[in-house]
């Protein structure tokens, strides 16, 4: 059984919106995969009129926040770029140690691709420009553009959350059983690092691990 | 209902238990997110208490919701046959444009959401291919996922926001959100309009049938003009807190001059003119309609409290449902008697004073919850419950009403909830506990209400209300008692969060400045001239020492006053500039 993949709708975000958007999406996904005994936590976004749910696990929150910070740092170095953050769930399997493989193996059974297009708004033209009258009008138009863009992003983010719920509902068979004492399914978050080749290698390794394992069916 | 015979007998009972517990859990999730009066207790137990205090019934589907309110148990009590569908209607009661003959505004009911949970039992059982021994575990896992997505969906739909707006007490009393749980959707329920969207959750196969859930909802609630009715009309208060004619803790509405309406949703202190130095004969005027900035920023006082969760102490329950010991299938009962328990209204409650509110605010930090604000002083219930006792399968319950008057503590993060614990059990909050009644939520300190009387002698001071520490409050009160001058300038409170609170303290300070009062009955503005008069006059009843002391104190006060004024001016400018960007 192969890894189930879900590609989420692309979102155009400004750099200061990335944290909230990512936190919302990542936590929503993990909440649906935290099948142990949890006490859900409702979080209101500050930038948008959206409430999402966290599973309430401190470790999850920390892990997600750390990854988001790394991603924001990376985005700072690669502005105005489309990027994809992958949230993958895996099972830990122990294999017979051999010459080439490690003892512990990860079997990826689900992958979420979060597509972001980060951009920075253009800076204001210098005062010395000749279109002085236009400069006077710009703040008003700019605020209208900002609010309309923000509204669109809010709607898109809601659509992404609906998309997550829909996917989670439609595909349940591939979810492995939860072991005793495990609150949430182990996951990892990856994104294109500074070296693109490393990212590609990660994807290749994941594909090799996840493909052709009938034992995934449960 | 016949379960497959090829299943081991414990599995038969477990599957049926999964189905039978699915209904109340779904009901709990939906109503918990829509009706604040039915929100659960005990969701915020500390981590230290662990999972030991979680009830077994709450562990079902590994989703701790807190103690189920009694009303929910009563609601579900009639749902005995798992083959009956459970239909939860979320109904918005709103005013219409039509008036009746007496000029009263009519209200209308609109179903804004309908949740349907049912267990479909197919006529022909499909052959079961999977291993029977692990079937119930897989079924349980899928049911958990279904409820997770149902939980998340309740937060995404528009009714969630409406519910929170209404419960934040700043909406008009003409809006109300009620719910109805029934088994028959076609005959008794209000019609579902064509403009509603539907979302069907993927069913979970629970042999011999399957668990299904769906929601039909209105995606656009702007027709109800909720936003317009939440925004308060402009009011100007001319008799401010601390005027000599009034109780320092009161303020009164001001007739007269119009003012720019302050939106419900605002951040900071937009729309508030800075404190200006009044002339010698005028008292400083208050402004706005008594709105307060939210006591703390969202980061520190937000509904996203860190839930303390149960740890793995109950790990043995994490996989398996908390099945009852007998494990035998419950006997489906062919008939059920609906127990309708509708209360016409709540007991009168008084508006909490600022000190009381501060206690609740501080308690909110220590024991966060999603409980609503304390109820406002009530009106009689407008709506009487319809005679539905005779209708089987239907339970109509009142929900929490929107607050009848705007709260003096504005909060556009409606998660400023207070703990629903024994602190609420004082008389003034008894209305909150009538779970099936119609408690009013929110509290009012402002006279600027939409539908109720303006003057309320129980209103507390707007300026030192929301986030004033009790110590500051006691400070201002002790000043009034002691009437000392030297302590005023030195113990001026610093680090105030609310501009209004700062103004309140300033006014209090001005009011209780003994040397100025002793010299004349005028205020600080006039004290400037008074200081000069003091300085110039040598003779008098006071000794030279007391004169020098009062002069220096007056000068010190004047300096502090100027600093405070500058601070308030700068703050109001910066906030006014910040909010214009939105």
């Amino acid at each position: 059984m192969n890894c189930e993949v879900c590609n989420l709708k692309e979102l155009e975000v400004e750099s200061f919106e990335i944290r909230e958007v990512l936190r919302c999406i990542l936590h929503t996904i993990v909440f649906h995969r935290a099948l142990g005994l949890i006490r859900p936590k409702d979080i209101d976004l500050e930038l948008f009129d959206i409430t999402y749910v966290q599973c309430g696990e401190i470790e999850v929150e920390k892990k997600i926040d750390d990854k988001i910070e790394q991603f924001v740092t990376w985005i700072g170095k690669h502005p105005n770029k489309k990027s994809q953050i992958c949230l993958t769930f895996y099972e830990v399997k122990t294999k017979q140690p051999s010459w080439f493989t490690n003892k512990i193996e990860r079997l990826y059974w689900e992958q979420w691709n979060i597509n972001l297009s980060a951009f920075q708004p253009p800076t204001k033209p210098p005062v010395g420009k000749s279109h002085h009258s236009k400069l006077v009008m710009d703040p008003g138009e700019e605020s209208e553009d900002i609010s309309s863009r923000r509204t669109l992003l809010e709607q898109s983010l809601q659509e992404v959350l609906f998309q997550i719920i829909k996917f989670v509902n439609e595909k349940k068979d591939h979810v492995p059983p939860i072991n005793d004492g495990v609150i949430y399914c182990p996951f990892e978050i990856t994104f294109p690092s500074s070296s693109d080749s490393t990212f590609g290698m990660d994807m290749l390794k994941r594909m090799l691990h996840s493909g052709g394992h009938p034992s995934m069916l449960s | 209902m016949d379960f497959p015979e090829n299943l081991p007998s414990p599995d038969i009972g477990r599957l049926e238990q999964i189905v039978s517990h699915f209904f109340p859990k779904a009901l709990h999730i939906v109503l918990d997110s829509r009706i604040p009066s039915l929100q659960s207790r005990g969701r915020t137990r500390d981590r230290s208490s662990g999972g030991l205090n979680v009830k077994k019934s709450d562990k079902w589907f590994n989703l701790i919701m807190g103690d189920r309110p009694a009303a929910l148990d009563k609601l579900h009590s009639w749902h005995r046959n798992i083959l009956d569908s459970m239909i939860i209607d979320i109904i918005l009661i709103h005013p219409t444009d039509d008036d009746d003959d007496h000029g009263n505004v009519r209200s209308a009911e609109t179903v804004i959401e309908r949740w349907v949970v049912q267990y479909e039992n197919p006529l022909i059982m499909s052959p079961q291919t999977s291993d029977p021994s692990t079937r119930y575990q897989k079924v349980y896992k899928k049911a958990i996922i279904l409820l997770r997505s149902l939980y998340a969906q309740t937060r995404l739909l528009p009714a969630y926001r409406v519910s929170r707006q209404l419960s934040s007490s700043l909406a008009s009393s003409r809006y109300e959100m009620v719910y109805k749980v029934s088994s028959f959707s076609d005959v008794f329920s209000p019609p579902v309009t064509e403009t509603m969207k539907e979302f069907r959750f993927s069913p979970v196969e629970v042999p011999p049938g399957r668990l299904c859930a769906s929601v039909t909802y209105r995606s656009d609630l702007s027709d109800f003009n909720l936003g317009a009715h939440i925004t308060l009309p402009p009011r100007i208060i001319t008799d401010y807190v601390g005027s000599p004619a009034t109780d320092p803790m009161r303020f009164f509405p001001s007739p007269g001059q119009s003012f720019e309406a302050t939106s419900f949703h605002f951040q900071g202190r937009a729309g508030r003119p800075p404190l200006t130095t009044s002339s010698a004969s005028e008292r400083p005027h208050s402004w706005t309609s008594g709105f307060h900035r939210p006591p703390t920023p969202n980061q520190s006082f937000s509904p996203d409290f860190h839930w303390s969760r149960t740890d793995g102490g109950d790990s043995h329950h994490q996989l398996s449902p908390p099945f009852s010991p007998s494990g035998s299938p419950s006997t489906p009962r062919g008939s059920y008697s609906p127990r309708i328990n509708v209360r016409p209204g709540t007991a009168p409650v008084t508006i909490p004073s600022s000190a009381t509110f501060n206690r609740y605010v501080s308690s909110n930090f220590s024991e966060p919850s999603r409980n609503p604000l304390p109820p406002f002083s009530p009106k009689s219930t407008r709506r009487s419950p319809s005679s539905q006792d005779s209708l089987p399968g239907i339970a109509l319950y009142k929900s929490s009403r929107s607050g009848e008057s705007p709260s003096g503590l504005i909060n556009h993060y409606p998660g400023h909830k207070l703990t629903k614990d024994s602190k609420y059990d004082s008389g003034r909050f008894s209305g909150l506990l009538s779970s099936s009644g119609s408690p009013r939520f929110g509290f009012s300190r402002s006279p600027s209400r939409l539908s109720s009387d303006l003057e309320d002698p129980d209103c507390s001071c707007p300026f030192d209300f929301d986030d004033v520490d009790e110590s500051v409050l006691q400070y201002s009160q002790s000043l009034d008692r002691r009437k000392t001058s030297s302590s005023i300038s030195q113990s001026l409170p610093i680090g105030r969060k609310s501009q209004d609170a700062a103004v309140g303290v300033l006014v209090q300070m001005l009011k209780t400045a003994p040397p100025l009062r002793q010299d004349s009955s005028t205020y600080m503005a006039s004290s400037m001239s008074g200081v000069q008069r003091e300085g110039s006059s040598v003779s008098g009843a006071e000794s030279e020492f007391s004169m020098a002391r009062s002069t220096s104190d007056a000068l010190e006060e004047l300096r502090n006053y100027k600093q405070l004024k500058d601070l308030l001016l700068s703050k109001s400018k910066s906030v006014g500039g910040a909010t214009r960007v939105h």
Side-chain angles (χ1 to χ4, degrees):
Chain A
M1 137 83 181
N2 290 328
C3 178
E4 294 283 352
V5 179
C6 177
N7 285 303
L8 297 176
K9 183 185 161 182
E10 184 176 284
L11 298 173
E12 288 191 1
V13 292
E14 288 191 52
S15 49
F16 72 94
E17 294 165 337
I18 291 177
R19 276 189 188 81
E20 279 231 313
V21 166
L22 274 184
R23 210 174 276 137
C24 174
I25 296 174
L26 291 171
H27 275 288
T28 301
I29 297 171
V30 173
F31 170 71
H32 287 93
R33 295 291 179 246
L35 304 185
L37 185 65
I38 61 168
R39 211 185 279 266
K41 194 163 109 178
D42 297 333
I43 309 291
D44 292 333
L45 291 180
E46 294 172 21
L47 300 175
F48 310 102
D49 199 19
I50 291 175
T51 302
Y52 70 96
V53 192
Q54 293 186 3
C55 67
E57 282 287 303
I58 304 296
E59 297 87 25
V60 168
E61 199 173 337
K62 187 174 181 313
K63 188 172 176 180
I64 288 177
D65 285 343
D66 289 345
K67 276 295 174 182
I68 289 174
E69 287 308 312
Q70 292 176 20
F71 178 74
V72 167
T73 307
W74 180 85
I75 278 287
K77 297 174 187 170
H78 303 79
N80 295 325
K81 198 173 175 178
K82 292 193 180 186
S83 54
Q84 189 180 75
I85 299 101
C86 297
L87 169 61
T88 48
F89 294 95
Y90 58 87
E91 266 189 301
V92 177
K93 296 283 186 187
T94 53
K95 277 185 71 175
Q96 291 293 330
S98 69
W99 289 105
F100 304 104
T101 58
N102 293 327
K103 212 172 174 179
I104 294 174
E105 188 183 9
R106 289 181 174 182
L107 297 176
Y108 297 93
W109 50 272
E110 191 172 81
Q111 177 175 324
W112 297 80
N113 295 328
I114 304 163
N115 298 298
L116 294 182
S117 175
F119 72 97
Q120 287 179 357
T123 54
K124 288 182 182 177
V127 182
K129 289 274 183 181
S130 59
H131 304 287
H132 185 69
S133 59
K134 193 176 176 186
L135 277 177
V136 175
M137 290 168 56
D138 272 346
E141 292 174 355
E142 198 176 321
S143 62
E144 280 182 15
D145 289 341
I146 290 172
S147 65
S148 65
R149 194 199 62 80
R150 183 72 59 81
T151 307
L152 281 176
L153 177 57
E154 184 177 306
Q155 289 171 357
S156 299
L157 181 57
Q158 277 208 325
E159 287 174 22
V160 166
L161 297 179
F162 274 115
Q163 205 181 348
I164 294 170
I165 291 176
K166 199 158 166 273
F167 182 86
V168 158
N169 260 273
E170 286 170 359
K171 298 186 189 294
K172 298 192 187 84
D173 292 323
H174 65 290
V175 180
I178 301 295
N179 299 324
D180 276 333
V182 177
I183 304 288
Y184 56 91
C185 302
F187 64 91
E188 67 177 17
I189 301 170
T190 54
F191 53 90
S193 58
S194 54
S195 165
D196 284 341
S197 62
T198 310
F199 179 65
M201 188 58 67
D202 287 340
M203 295 300 298
L204 193 60
K205 267 204 293 195
R206 191 169 306 132
M207 282 164 60
L208 287 174
H209 283 311
S210 62
H213 283 277
S215 61
M216 293 294 298
L217 283 169
S218 58
Chain B
M1 183 187 62
D2 295 327
F3 277 86
E5 293 177 354
N6 56 348
L7 281 177
S9 52
D11 276 4
I12 295 175
R14 286 169 178 169
L15 287 176
E16 185 167 357
Q17 283 192 46
I18 289 174
V19 174
S20 63
H21 280 89
F22 187 88
F23 286 90
K25 199 75 174 184
L27 179 68
H28 194 179
I29 290 172
V30 170
L31 293 185
D32 181 82
S33 66
R34 298 289 183 265
I35 314 297
S37 63
L38 296 181
Q39 284 183 350
S40 314
R41 296 187 185 208
R43 290 185 72 184
T44 58
R45 293 206 172 91
D46 294 332
R47 192 188 179 94
S48 57
S49 62
L52 301 175
N53 294 331
V54 180
K55 288 186 181 172
K56 193 177 176 183
S57 60
D58 204 14
K59 293 179 184 172
W60 272 97
F61 307 101
N62 287 341
L63 195 66
I64 298 173
M65 296 289 299
D67 295 338
R68 199 179 301 166
L72 285 185
D73 288 332
K74 290 173 187 169
L75 275 174
H76 189 253
S77 60
W78 55 263
H79 190 267
R80 296 294 181 198
N81 188 352
I82 59 175
L83 291 180
D84 288 334
S85 56
M86 182 174 71
I87 297 163
I88 310 165
D89 282 338
I90 305 296
I91 302 166
L92 181 67
I93 298 169
H94 57 95
T96 60
D97 294 332
D98 304 326
D99 292 346
D100 62 11
D101 295 335
H102 301 285
N104 298 322
V105 177
R106 291 179 187 272
S107 293
E109 292 183 352
T110 305
V111 176
I112 58 173
E113 269 185 4
R114 174 169 289 168
W115 299 79
V116 179
V117 180
Q118 60 188 116
Y119 180 65
E120 292 175 354
N121 195 5
L123 296 176
I124 301 171
M125 288 195 308
S126 57
Q128 305 299 322
T129 55
S130 56
D131 183 9
S133 61
T134 59
R135 186 172 302 156
Y136 86 89
Q137 289 173 341
K138 292 177 192 173
V139 165
Y140 190 57
K141 175 192 75 179
K142 292 181 183 178
I144 290 174
I145 296 175
L146 173 56
L147 281 175
R148 294 275 196 275
S149 57
L150 192 142
Y151 187 101
Q153 187 78 326
T154 56
R155 270 68 184 165
L156 281 185
L157 297 182
Y160 179 72
R161 286 283 154 190
V162 171
S163 166
R164 290 181 69 177
Q165 284 176 0
L166 294 183
S167 66
S168 68
S169 81
L170 286 179
S172 164
S173 60
R174 295 181 292 174
Y175 286 87
E176 189 174 353
M177 193 174 277
V178 300
Y179 57 93
K180 187 168 77 174
V181 183
S182 60
S183 293
F184 310 101
S185 65
D186 296 330
V187 179
F188 302 110
S189 303
V192 177
T193 63
E194 295 174 354
T195 56
M196 296 174 79
K197 293 184 181 175
E198 188 181 17
F199 180 84
R200 288 185 173 269
F201 296 88
S202 295
V204 172
E205 301 287 336
V206 184
R210 55 182 199 173
L211 271 171
C212 303
S214 67
V215 57
T216 313
Y217 62 97
R218 285 181 71 115
S219 56
D220 185 12
L221 298 177
S222 59
D223 296 341
F224 300 107
N225 296 324
L226 274 160
H229 287 275
I230 288 175
T231 302
L232 297 178
R235 299 285 179 180
I236 291 295
I237 302 165
T238 54
D239 286 327
Y240 61 97
V241 174
S243 68
T246 64
D247 189 309
M249 296 303 293
R250 293 184 186 183
F251 75 97
F252 292 97
S254 153
Q257 70 198 81
S258 63
F259 194 78
E260 185 179 349
T262 307
S263 167
F264 168 62
H265 289 284
F266 77 96
Q267 295 192 10
R269 307 171 197 107
R272 297 182 180 185
L275 176 64
T276 56
T277 308
S278 57
S279 62
S281 58
E282 288 181 3
R283 294 174 292 175
H285 286 276
S286 55
W287 50 83
T288 74
S289 52
F291 276 116
H292 270 244
R293 185 177 67 85
T296 57
N298 194 29
Q299 288 85 357
S300 57
F301 197 73
S302 69
D304 43 335
F305 300 117
H306 288 275
W307 295 104
S308 55
R309 56 160 303 279
T310 59
D311 54 14
D314 290 315
S315 57
H316 63 281
H317 281 297
Q318 290 176 0
L319 261 197
S320 305
F323 292 114
S324 60
S326 64
S328 58
S330 61
T331 309
R333 298 174 200 172
S335 64
Y336 42 82
S337 57
R339 280 179 275 164
I340 310 296
N341 182 19
V342 182
R343 302 199 32 189
T346 60
V349 296
T350 56
I351 302 165
S353 66
S354 59
T356 312
F357 174 78
N358 287 330
R359 179 162 63 91
Y360 286 110
V361 165
S362 58
S363 70
N364 202 8
F365 279 99
S366 60
E367 203 175 339
S369 74
R370 285 185 54 80
N371 289 329
L373 298 168
F376 178 54
S377 56
K379 297 258 168 156
S380 59
T381 309
R382 292 183 299 108
R383 291 170 43 83
S384 58
S386 54
S387 57
Q388 297 189 341
D389 292 20
S390 59
L391 298 177
I394 291 178
L396 175 66
Y397 285 77
K398 291 281 172 135
S399 75
S400 65
R401 279 178 77 152
S402 58
E404 292 193 0
S405 67
S407 165
L409 179 69
I410 189 176
N411 180 7
H412 65 280
Y413 302 109
H416 283 231
K417 313 286 182 173
L418 304 177
T419 55
K420 195 175 177 179
D421 55 6
S422 60
K423 293 174 187 173
Y424 270 82
D425 292 343
S426 62
R428 61 181 60 188
F429 298 113
S430 60
L432 189 64
L433 300 178
S434 58
S435 57
S436 56
S438 38
R440 308 301 192 261
F441 286 86
F443 50 89
S444 171
R445 305 183 308 91
S446 165
S448 51
R449 304 172 199 167
L450 284 178
S451 60
S452 55
D453 294 337
L454 294 180
E455 295 197 4
D456 188 347
D458 291 330
C459 278
S460 50
C461 167
F463 294 107
D464 57 354
F465 185 88
D466 47 343
D467 57 351
V468 174
D469 294 333
E470 281 199 36
S471 60
V472 177
L473 202 62
Q474 289 164 7
Y475 155 76
S476 58
Q477 289 174 353
S478 66
L479 273 185
D480 197 10
R481 287 192 297 269
R482 286 183 294 130
K483 294 188 179 180
T484 56
S485 64
S486 59
S487 60
I488 292 174
S489 58
Q490 295 169 6
S491 57
L492 188 66
I494 56 174
R496 304 195 63 81
K497 298 175 187 178
S498 165
Q499 186 186 13
D500 287 340
V503 170
V505 172
L506 173 66
V507 166
Q508 195 70 18
M509 182 184 76
L510 293 175
K511 175 180 175 292
T512 58
L516 302 174
R517 274 189 173 181
Q518 290 168 10
D519 292 332
S520 66
S521 59
T522 55
Y523 297 85
M524 177 62 115
S526 60
S527 71
M528 294 171 65
S529 57
V531 167
Q532 294 170 2
R533 279 190 279 112
E534 282 187 10
S536 60
S537 66
V538 176
S539 63
E542 299 170 1
S543 64
E544 285 190 2
F545 177 74
S546 63
M547 276 180 61
R549 195 166 62 104
S550 63
T551 304
S552 62
D553 290 340
L555 284 173
E556 186 64 33
E557 279 184 50
L558 178 64
R559 271 197 289 275
N560 290 333
Y561 169 75
K562 282 184 179 174
Q563 288 174 2
L564 195 59
K565 185 191 89 170
D566 292 337
L567 180 67
L568 292 173
L569 277 174
S570 63
K571 276 190 179 176
S572 66
K573 278 179 188 168
S574 64
V575 169
T579 53
R580 271 194 291 276
V581 175
H582 293 299

